[in-house]
Amino acid sequence: MKKGFLIILVLGLALTLSACAPAKDPGAAAGGSPAKADRRQIVVGFSQVGAESDWRLGNTQSMIDAFSAEGGYRLILDDAQNKQERQITAIRNFINQGVDYIVLAPTTERGWDTVLGEARAAGIPVILVDRRIEVEDESLFVCWVGSDFRREGDTAAVWMEEHLPEALRIVHLQGNLGSSAQIGRSEGLAAALARHPGWKVVFEAPGDFVQAKGQELIESLPQDLAYDVIYAENDNMAFGAIDALKNAGILPGKDVAIISFDAGGRALRLVLEGEINLDVECNPMHGPRVRAVIEQLERGETPSKYTYVEETWFDAETLTQAVIDRRGY
Ligand code: GYE
């Protein structure tokens, strides 16, 4: 009995000692080159909006691919689940961890002054991607990379002017209120409404860029509400709207025109099939663009303050299968 106890004690001690032993230098053990071990890893804290849409998933993947360990980076990714408070907490965590760069894809435009002031006080450069922010002092961020959302809204409006009748009853599914993507796309529509007395918005509500919410909103419309077009501010809300219409025996793309934004692969297939009439492109592949900005900063260069991504639009006449096959999102 006593002897057994002693054996256990000795074994336990041996295990504890081995756990405390200093780790061997992996480079030396593998006979690896010291130069490789010395190379500095750049730590990037990325505060992402959430996972609300196909666009967002494509965007996250693009960032993961761009900031790989093989490329010399360590990416700390934080998913804020569409909450600005969570993004503010994430940024404070990045500051505490002493990251080299903070990349922020902001949920909404306002409310960033304080936390970005904290990042500046800690000497950490902040790069904005996707949506924009409104701050008192624009030097709180180094630069921004993303899309011209107002232009996307204008593009949709022009297409509607050219392809749809002058008397138009519009159902407007908005994105996250206060986000640049919502603001720009809604502004484009509002400007066109001012030009067209025959256009009327018969229903308008935010669906937060989420498929289930798009579906719920269309299902919630009064039975006797007549409308000609659904202006959905992203593909996922358009998917939800399409499902709701089909369940009600209404043909999307024919009985009701569908306008959408993002133009991800899944949506483009519906353009070819005639269920989405127009999809305005919004490119989420920002990873390499943000990496290029960081490379510039590492070389001591000054990146341009605002970089807009080139984008186009697709309807059944302009879209080809080859475009869909090349889509990375
Ligand atoms: O259109 C939508 C996503 O900010 C451009 O956010 C982005 C928008 C995109 O959830 O699908």
Side-chain angles (χ1 to χ4, degrees), residues 63-316:
M63 296 291 282
I64 291 171
D65 294 345
F67 294 104
S68 66
E70 305 81 63
Y73 290 93
R74 184 156 79 85
L75 182 68
I76 310 174
L77 176 66
D78 185 274
D79 174 340
Q81 296 170 24
N82 281 284
K83 299 212 168 54
Q84 185 182 34
E85 316 86 78
R86 282 181 181 253
Q87 293 203 282
I88 290 171
T89 305
I91 292 171
R92 292 199 169 123
N93 288 339
F94 294 152
I95 295 170
N96 286 337
Q97 290 170 81
V99 301
D100 296 305
Y101 296 93
I102 292 174
V103 179
L104 168 64
T107 43
T108 44
E109 294 193 346
R110 291 169 188 273
W112 298 102
D113 301 75
T114 307
V115 75
L116 294 196
E118 292 167 24
R120 177 157 64 192
I124 303 173
V126 174
I127 298 156
L128 301 178
V129 66
D130 173 22
R131 302 171 186 173
R132 296 169 69 147
I133 62 172
E134 271 202 30
V135 276
E136 282 282 308
D137 173 2
E138 292 235 319
S139 72
L140 284 174
F141 60 91
V142 177
C143 63
W144 167 91
V145 177
S147 307
D148 187 339
F149 302 114
R150 172 61 199 269
R151 190 159 161 260
E152 292 175 358
D154 290 339
T155 301
V158 168
W159 188 95
M160 287 162 69
E161 285 170 343
E162 289 174 357
H163 293 81
L164 300 179
E166 184 47 45
L168 214 51
R169 293 158 299 185
I170 303 165
V171 165
H172 181 194
L173 302 183
Q174 297 169 291
N176 228 31
L177 292 183
S179 68
S180 311
Q182 177 272 317
I183 293 170
R185 291 166 191 171
S186 291
E187 277 177 0
L189 179 61
L193 284 162
R195 298 196 294 269
H196 293 273
W199 287 19
K200 253 200 333 229
V201 172
V202 294
F203 177 85
E204 181 175 72
D208 299 338
F209 296 119
V210 171
Q211 177 160 345
K213 291 194 186 174
Q215 179 165 351
E216 272 166 33
L217 287 174
I218 298 304
E219 284 169 353
S220 76
L221 297 178
Q223 287 278 322
D224 57 353
L225 183 76
Y227 52 95
D228 310 294
V229 53
I230 296 176
Y231 184 96
E233 287 181 356
N234 84 335
D235 283 344
N236 292 79
M237 292 192 296
F239 297 149
I242 287 169
D243 287 346
L245 292 178
K246 284 182 170 173
N247 291 343
I250 302 167
L251 293 179
K254 295 191 177 61
D255 298 337
V256 171
I258 308 286
I259 308 295
S260 185
F261 295 84
D262 287 351
R266 196 148 69 105
L268 287 184
R269 280 191 285 281
L270 297 185
V271 173
L272 264 196
E273 288 165 19
E275 294 191 342
I276 292 178
N277 302 69
L278 166 72
D279 211 332
V280 179
E281 183 178 45
C282 183
N283 189 321
M285 311 310 264
H286 293 319
R289 298 181 186 111
V290 177
R291 190 182 55 211
V293 165
I294 290 181
E295 283 166 2
Q296 273 183 293
L297 293 170
E298 288 287 304
R299 290 194 298 268
E301 297 167 12
T302 310
S304 25
K305 192 82 183 177
Y306 289 99
T307 303
Y308 289 95
V309 177
E310 253 201 68
E311 287 164 344
T312 183
W313 54 270
F314 303 99
D315 64 9

Side-chain angles (χ1 to χ4, degrees), residues 9-87:
L9 190 74
V10 169
L11 266 177
L13 197 65
L15 275 173
T16 314
L17 282 177
S18 71
C20 293
K24 277 190 193 148
D25 173 0
S33 71
K36 199 172 174 195
D38 285 343
R39 214 195 296 143
R40 193 173 80 90
Q41 202 180 34
I42 298 174
V43 183
V44 177
F46 174 38
S47 170
Q48 175 61 296
V49 167
E52 74 283 3
S53 65
D54 291 15
W55 189 99
R56 190 65 55 197
L57 298 179
N59 178 248
T60 300
Q61 192 55 52
S62 169
M63 296 291 282
I64 291 171
D65 294 345
F67 294 104
S68 66
E70 305 81 63
Y73 290 93
R74 184 156 79 85
L75 182 68
I76 310 174
L77 176 66
D78 185 274
D79 174 340
Q81 296 170 24
N82 281 284
K83 299 212 168 54
Q84 185 182 34
E85 316 86 78
R86 282 181 181 253
Q87 293 203 282

